Amino acid sequence: MNPIEQFEQEVEGNIRRLGDDPALKGAALDWMSGVAGGKYSYNFSWLGRPIIQFPQDMVAMQELIWRVRPDLVIEAGIAHGGSLILSASMLALLDYCDAVEQGGAFDPRASRRRVLGLDIDIRAHNREAIARHPLAHKIDMLQGSSIDPAVIAEVHRRAEGYQRIMVVLDSNHTHEHVLAELEAYAPLTSRGSYCVVFDTLVEDLAPHLSADRPWGKGNNPKTAVWAYLEGLQDKPARGVDGANLRFEIDRRIEAKLQITVAPDGYLKRI
Ligand SMILES: C[S@@+](CC[C@H](N)C(=O)[O-])C[C@H]1O[C@@H](n2cnc3c(N)ncnc32)[C@H](O)[C@@H]1O
């Protein structure tokens, strides 16, 4: 075994042990419950735009985008635009790395890779700041509810012709809404790619932490993921590529992160 393989094997062992440790899981949940009240996830930015995520999940997105190499990332939930900029920056790096590998000149505007963001309310100051960002040329935005049939149809139309699509759901976190988003957009996820559902953590947190929200224990993205996966088992469906639509929860990601807002939310299309 070469040193690289040996290192990777060690890391896999670490991840397995960390993931199997109930005391650590409890400690992580205590910590996440503690910071949830303090709105910890609002503390960060990505290349200058505020992003409402945990740093651990940002690293997971970096690893996923590098591994999957999507040509389209569809994101429901824009807010200040930080997550769109994160995805766009990763797509731009993929473009750059492709150019280096192919020995050609790097033309930032030549690539097809794009991010498509959806939000029911794209505030003017956020829209302007995103439009002014150097990565704006990789971003398209649609205003409307992500479960509005006209928005869904438009997203499907724009996704036509893309080969490797990743989906990220981070908008309204009620069970009903996320389930409808999964029905609408999960079929666009390419095989080997991911549909990432954020804020599944709501199910694991104490109810008082979401008391002022329309979601809470029993009514949140995690319950929607469970219902969606159960539904696919009962009634198999096909993706837009015509192949069987099957997902598995990638628990290796939450085992490695330990701290994540998306337990059971990293769905890999298999
Ligand atoms: C948690 S924030 C998104 C955070 C962003 N993804 C990030 O990481 O920075 C949720 C966003 O979802 C939007 N939203 C709420 N209901 C929605 C709906 N029905 N359709 C689309 N977007 C919605 C809100 O306007 C808000 O901007």
Side-chain angles (χ1 to χ4, degrees):
M1 193 186 302
N2 71 39
I4 294 176
E5 289 167 345
Q6 193 177 346
F7 176 75
E8 285 171 354
Q9 202 178 63
E10 270 175 36
V11 171
E12 285 313 309
N14 297 343
I15 291 173
R16 245 192 331 274
R17 276 188 298 279
L18 287 169
D20 287 347
D21 187 330
L24 275 180
K25 201 171 180 167
L29 189 57
D30 282 349
W31 184 84
M32 290 188 284
S33 304
V35 297
K39 297 201 164 177
Y40 169 78
S41 60
Y42 289 77
N43 290 355
F44 308 98
S45 61
W46 190 270
L47 301 184
R49 289 309 301 155
I51 180 168
I52 309 172
Q53 280 182 18
F54 280 7
Q56 288 80 356
D57 289 305
M58 297 177 208
V59 173
M61 290 304 295
Q62 175 272 137
E63 292 191 2
L64 280 186
I65 293 178
W66 179 256
R67 181 144 47 94
V68 171
R69 305 178 72 82
D71 50 6
L72 179 65
V73 179
I74 298 167
E75 293 199 20
I78 296 175
H80 306 265
S83 60
L84 296 190
I85 300 290
L86 187 158
S87 297
S89 67
M90 284 307 301
L91 298 187
L93 280 173
L94 290 177
D95 295 344
Y96 174 75
C97 293
D98 281 354
V100 169
E101 274 167 17
Q102 289 155 17
F106 173 56
D107 175 357
R109 282 165 204 277
S111 153
R112 273 201 88 204
R113 291 193 177 105
R114 297 191 77 72
V115 183
L116 174 57
L118 319 173
D119 203 295
I120 197 165
D121 180 16
I122 308 175
R123 308 237 169 111
H125 59 279
N126 288 329
R127 187 188 278 282
E128 282 158 25
I130 296 165
R132 275 199 314 273
H133 197 279
L135 289 164
H137 65 283
K138 297 206 77 68
I139 296 172
D140 299 304
M141 291 182 278
L142 272 179
Q143 180 162 288
S145 173
S146 53
I147 60 168
D148 177 332
V151 171
I152 295 169
E154 180 60 14
V155 172
H156 277 247
R157 191 188 68 73
R158 293 195 192 195
E160 275 169 23
Y162 282 95
Q163 307 299 315
R164 243 176 275 175
I165 301 178
M166 184 178 282
V167 174
V168 182
L169 304 179
D170 188 21
S171 69
N172 176 333
H173 299 313
T174 64
H175 175 98
E176 191 185 12
H177 186 86
V178 179
L179 186 55
E181 283 185 331
L182 282 163
E183 305 280 0
Y185 303 114
L188 290 168
T189 312
S190 305
R191 272 190 291 177
S193 181
Y194 283 74
C195 176
V196 180
V197 184
F198 280 120
D199 271 350
T200 47
L201 180 66
V202 172
E203 176 67 11
D204 307 329
L205 295 176
H208 74 269
L209 290 169
S210 45
D212 58 344
R213 303 290 201 158
W215 49 83
K217 235 184 192 3
N219 166 23
N220 58 65
K222 192 187 264 190
T223 58
V225 164
W226 291 340
Y228 180 67
L229 297 183
E230 243 178 70
L232 280 184
Q233 273 188 349
D234 295 346
K235 196 166 161 236
R238 291 188 182 277
V240 295
D241 56 7
N244 280 344
L245 193 57
R246 288 180 52 222
F247 290 92
E248 68 181 17
I249 295 172
D250 188 342
R251 293 209 169 83
R252 180 181 171 279
I253 298 181
E254 59 202 69
K256 75 148 72 177
L257 297 182
Q258 296 280 300
I259 301 281
T260 173
V261 299
D264 283 11
Y266 286 95
L267 307 182
K268 180 177 186 183
R269 182 163 176 212
I270 50 173

